[in-house]
C-alpha cells in the first residue's frame, strides 16, 4: 500500500506514572511499522523535572534511530508556577524543555509529500487559557491568533498536492469519556485551524484515543497515553496515521497485556480534503 505512514504518540509522562513495559513495546511496534516519521504531541514528562526530561530525551533518541521525530511541549512540560499569567515573562516556562529538546518550541519537519508543523498550545496559566472552572488552571490550552497566523504562513509555501499536518498538544475534539475540550475558546481555535490550511491535526492530552473531523473539514488524530493514566481503564495505545492520495486512515495500536505487545485495532477512514483556492481545504464532494 502506498502513502506516507506516521506514528503518532502522546502523553509519555516520564516520571512516576511512566509504564516502562508499554514504552518499550512501543519502540518495538514502531520499528516494525517503519513509519516515515514519529510525532509526539506533548506531555513528555509528568512534573517537568530534569530527570524526566532526560529520560524522555533518551527515549526519543531511540525513536530517532527508526525515523525522524517531531515533538511539541504539553502542559505537563511547562513550569507554569515560575511565571503565572506570564508576570515574569514566558522564557522561564519552557526553560527545561528547551534545554533538552532545543530552542524551537514549534518545530517543523518536511518529508516527501508531507509538511508537518508544530504549534504551541501549552502556555501555562495565561489569560487566554482561563475558563470559569478553577480546575482548568494550568490544564486547559490556548491557541492564540498569533499561532494560527504563523501556521498559515508556514503552510503557504506547501504545494497543494502535499499534505499539511499541524501538531499541538491539547485535544481539539471533545473526548468521548471526559466530554471535555482541551482548548479554551475552542470554537475560535477550530475555525482558525481550518483557515490555516491544515489537512490533518495530531493532538493528545485527553488520555483517550480518538479520531474525527474538525469543522467537518480537517481529519483529527487524538493519541492516548503510554503511561498508567489511561482514561476509563482502557489499554495504553498510540495511533498510526496513513496519508494516501485519496484518503486518510487513522488506526489504533492498543497494548495487549496478555500478549505483552501492541496489536492493531480500529481503523478509521476519511476522504482526503480537496484543494481549494487559497490555503484552505474542503472535503471532496460525493
Amino acid at each position: 500500500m502506498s502513502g506516507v505512514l506516521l506514528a503518532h504518540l502522546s502523553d509519555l509522562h516520564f516520571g512516576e506514572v511512566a509504564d516502562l513495559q508499554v514504552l518499550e513495546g512501543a519502540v518495538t511496534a514502531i520499528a516494525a511499522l517503519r513509519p516515515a516519521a514519529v510525532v509526539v504531541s506533548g506531555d513528555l514528562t509528568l512534573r517537568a523535572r530534569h530527570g524526566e526530561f532526560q529520560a524522555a530525551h533518551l527515549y526519543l533518541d531511540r525513536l530517532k534511530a527508526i525515523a525522524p521525530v517531531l515533538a511539541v511541549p504539553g502542559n505537563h512540560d511547562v513550569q507554569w508556577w515560575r511565571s503565572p499569567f506570564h508576570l515574569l515573562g514566558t522564557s522561564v516556562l519552557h526553560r527545561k524543555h528547551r534545554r533538552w529538546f532545543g530552542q524551537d518550541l514549534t518545530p517543523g519537519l518536511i518529508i516527501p509529500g508531507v509538511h508537518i508543523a508544530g504549534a504551541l498550545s501549552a502556555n501555562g496559566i495565561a489569560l487566554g487559557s482561563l475558563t470559569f472552572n478553577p480546575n482548568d488552571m494550568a490544564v486547559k490550552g490556548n491557541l492564540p491568533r498569533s499561532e494560527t497566523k504563523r501556521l498559515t504562513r508556514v503552510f503557504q509555501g506547501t504545494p497543494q498536492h502535499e499534505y499539511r499536518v499541524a501538531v499541538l498538544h491539547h485535544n481539539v475534539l471533545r473526548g468521548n469519556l471526559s466530554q471535555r475540550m482541551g482548548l479554551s475558546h475552542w470554537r475560535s481555535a477550530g475555525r482558525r485551524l481550518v483557515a490555516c490550511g491544515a489537512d490533518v491535526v495530531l493532538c493528545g492530552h485527553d488520555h483517550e484515543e480518538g479520531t474525527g473531523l474538525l469543522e467537518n473539514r480537517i481529519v483529527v488524530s487524538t493519541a492516548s497515553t503510554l503511561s498508567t493514566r489511561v482514561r476509563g481503564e482502557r489499554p495504553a495505545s498510540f495511533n498510526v496515521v496513513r496519508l494516501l492520495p485519496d484518503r486518510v486512515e487513522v488506526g489504533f495500536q492498543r497494548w495487549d497485556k496478555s500478549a505483552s505487545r501492541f496489536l492493531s485495532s480500529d481503523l478509521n477512514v476519511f476522504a482526503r480534503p480537496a484543494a481549494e483556492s487559497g490555503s484552505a481545504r474542503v472535503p471532496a464532494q460525493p
Side-chain angles (χ1 to χ4, degrees):
M1 183 182 295
S2 60
V4 179
L5 188 71
L6 305 177
H8 175 205
L9 289 63
S10 197
D11 298 77
L12 310 183
H13 285 306
F14 276 94
E16 63 191 60
V17 301
D19 194 323
L20 299 182
Q21 186 181 26
V22 167
L23 288 162
E24 188 66 29
V27 174
T28 302
I30 291 168
L33 289 167
R34 300 177 64 184
V38 178
V39 176
V40 185
S41 53
D43 274 2
L44 306 175
T45 70
L46 182 64
R47 305 189 189 281
R49 293 170 174 164
H50 276 302
E52 296 170 352
F53 276 114
Q54 183 182 37
H57 184 273
L58 292 171
Y59 187 76
L60 264 59
D61 273 351
R62 296 180 64 194
L63 295 176
K64 287 177 183 177
I66 301 170
V69 174
L70 181 145
V72 297
N75 57 293
H76 279 261
D77 304 320
V78 179
Q79 294 178 278
W80 60 266
W81 56 93
R82 297 287 188 183
S83 183
F85 298 104
H86 302 173
L87 295 176
L88 299 177
T90 59
S91 62
V92 68
L93 299 175
H94 303 97
R95 183 171 294 167
K96 291 181 181 179
H97 189 280
R98 282 192 165 106
R99 172 179 175 181
W100 291 101
F101 295 100
Q103 292 298 308
D104 193 356
L105 300 175
T106 56
L109 178 62
I110 297 176
I111 56 178
V114 183
H115 189 165
I116 308 173
L120 184 62
S121 63
N123 297 290
I125 297 179
L127 292 176
S129 64
L130 293 182
T131 71
F132 292 107
N133 185 350
N135 292 327
D136 288 339
M137 296 283 280
V139 175
K140 282 280 187 180
N142 69 302
L143 196 66
R145 292 184 182 276
S146 59
E147 191 65 353
T148 48
K149 286 181 179 178
R150 186 190 60 78
L151 281 176
T152 301
R153 294 192 298 271
V154 168
F155 286 141
Q156 276 178 344
T158 305
Q160 286 288 323
H161 68 276
E162 295 187 0
Y163 271 96
R164 310 172 191 183
V165 179
V167 182
L168 64 151
H169 175 61
H170 292 83
N171 55 301
V172 299
L173 297 179
R174 193 177 301 278
N176 288 325
L177 293 176
S178 69
Q179 287 298 298
R180 285 170 59 82
M181 303 293 289
L183 293 169
S184 61
H185 311 293
W186 52 270
R187 291 185 180 87
S188 170
R191 290 192 295 267
R192 288 183 279 110
L193 278 170
V194 169
C196 82
D199 298 303
V200 178
V201 170
L202 308 183
C203 56
H205 182 66
D206 196 51
H207 289 205
E208 180 190 2
E209 70 278 12
T211 188
L213 292 173
L214 175 63
E215 300 283 320
N216 291 315
R217 294 174 73 172
I218 297 180
V219 178
V220 177
S221 167
T222 308
S224 184
T225 178
L226 296 182
S227 74
T228 60
R229 285 189 173 179
V230 184
R231 195 179 294 278
E233 299 184 358
R234 301 168 67 82
S237 65
F238 68 91
N239 294 0
V240 178
V241 180
R242 190 183 295 272
L243 307 174
L244 294 148
D246 62 340
R247 65 191 186 277
V248 179
E249 297 179 353
V250 182
F252 303 141
Q253 292 275 327
R254 291 194 172 100
W255 179 250
D256 187 301
K257 286 185 178 180
S258 61
S260 295
R261 63 190 179 99
F262 282 92
L263 299 176
S264 298
S265 185
D266 314 43
L267 179 65
N268 305 270
V269 182
F270 303 88
R272 181 181 182 180
E276 188 185 48
S277 59
S279 61
R281 309 285 179 99
V282 296
Q285 297 300 314

